Amino acid sequence: YPRTPRPAQPGRGRAAGPQAGPGRSAWRGRLLYFEAQTEKRWPECHLYFSNERAYPSGMAMFATLSHGKISSWETIAAAHGHNTRSIEVPNADPKKLGTVEVLDLPGQNLTDRIKDRLAEAGVTKIRKNAVLAFEDLYGASPDYWERQFPSGWEKATIDQLMADPLVKAVEDFVRTKHGDNLVSLCWHFDEKTPHCHVVSIPLVTRE
């Protein structure tokens, strides 16, 4: 349903209309606008989309994207533990569907995958304060999942969830955006709402 850009909030960046803003993007033609809100530690970005169909105005359907930086191997190891559930995650429900790692890459953990990719790119020395990886969190509002799965997304199968248009759009988008620097794409179906952790390496080639 149509949504008008929200006014800027003091100290939280500025709203971006369809013709303005720092990151206008056409994510399968479904984005109305891109709004970046600068938080204390990293920007949190909200992607709002519409569909061809009309839905009740009370349904707040939007996609979300949170962006974070990882600057230590310890944090990478912690991210791997959380994403794969190899450590205890208090808000994860073991009775739900669990997690799905989409990428089939060599290496037993994120540390191995990142080091393998850096070696492949010819990186032999890492600056002390370098950003080792980005971790982005893609998701959608509860109303979106309610619309897609009226009986409850928890009752759907993994195949049904992975076939959802938003899930497929996220994979298409991040594969195109990050290419070979994409090291993990993991969906979580055991928390309050489905969401995806995407880990990529910020490699930059300079001449």
Side-chain angles (χ1 to χ4, degrees):
Y1 59 93
R3 183 188 290 265
T4 56
R6 292 185 289 178
Q9 300 179 24
R12 293 179 63 85
R14 61 191 182 94
Q19 302 298 327
R24 187 188 178 202
S25 175
W27 185 8
R28 289 197 166 187
R30 299 167 71 181
L31 293 181
L32 287 181
Y33 65 91
F34 176 98
E35 178 189 62
Q37 296 179 329
T38 304
E39 300 293 351
K40 185 174 182 181
R41 293 182 60 190
W42 55 69
E44 181 179 354
C45 309
H46 298 275
L47 306 181
Y48 297 90
F49 64 89
S50 65
N51 261 325
E52 299 79 8
R53 297 167 57 188
Y55 298 99
S57 58
M59 299 186 76
M61 290 178 292
F62 53 88
T64 61
L65 165 61
S66 297
H67 174 71
K69 299 176 182 179
I70 302 178
S71 300
S72 73
W73 294 111
E74 291 78 11
T75 306
I76 287 173
H80 173 79
H82 173 85
N83 294 349
T84 62
R85 301 301 191 245
S86 57
I87 62 174
E88 183 179 355
V89 180
N91 58 323
D93 186 349
K95 296 180 181 179
K96 291 186 178 181
L97 294 174
T99 67
V100 176
E101 172 58 62
V102 177
L103 301 185
D104 183 16
L105 295 174
Q108 297 180 346
N109 53 52
L110 275 179
T111 301
D112 292 339
R113 292 183 177 190
I114 291 172
K115 288 183 176 180
D116 287 348
R117 175 58 187 142
L118 292 175
E120 182 182 86
V123 177
T124 58
K125 186 176 181 179
I126 301 175
R127 194 177 66 239
K128 184 177 181 180
N129 63 340
V131 174
L132 299 174
F134 290 142
E135 183 172 30
D136 300 328
L137 184 67
Y138 291 79
S141 62
D143 284 342
Y144 172 81
W145 299 108
E146 181 181 341
R147 184 205 72 183
Q148 295 295 93
F149 303 95
S151 298
W153 65 266
E154 298 92 338
K155 297 180 181 179
T157 65
I158 289 292
D159 288 342
Q160 289 172 330
L161 288 165
M162 295 303 293
D164 181 80
L166 178 69
V167 174
K168 296 173 73 173
V170 167
E171 181 175 354
D172 291 345
F173 178 76
V174 299
R175 284 185 182 274
T176 300
K177 179 177 177 60
H178 300 299
D180 293 337
N181 295 328
L182 181 65
V183 294
S184 180
L185 197 170
C186 188
W187 278 94
H188 288 178
F189 298 118
D190 57 359
E191 298 183 46
K192 189 173 181 179
T193 55
H195 57 274
C196 181
H197 290 259
V198 174
V199 181
S200 60
I201 306 173
L203 281 175
V204 177
T205 302
R206 295 180 179 177
E207 296 182 359

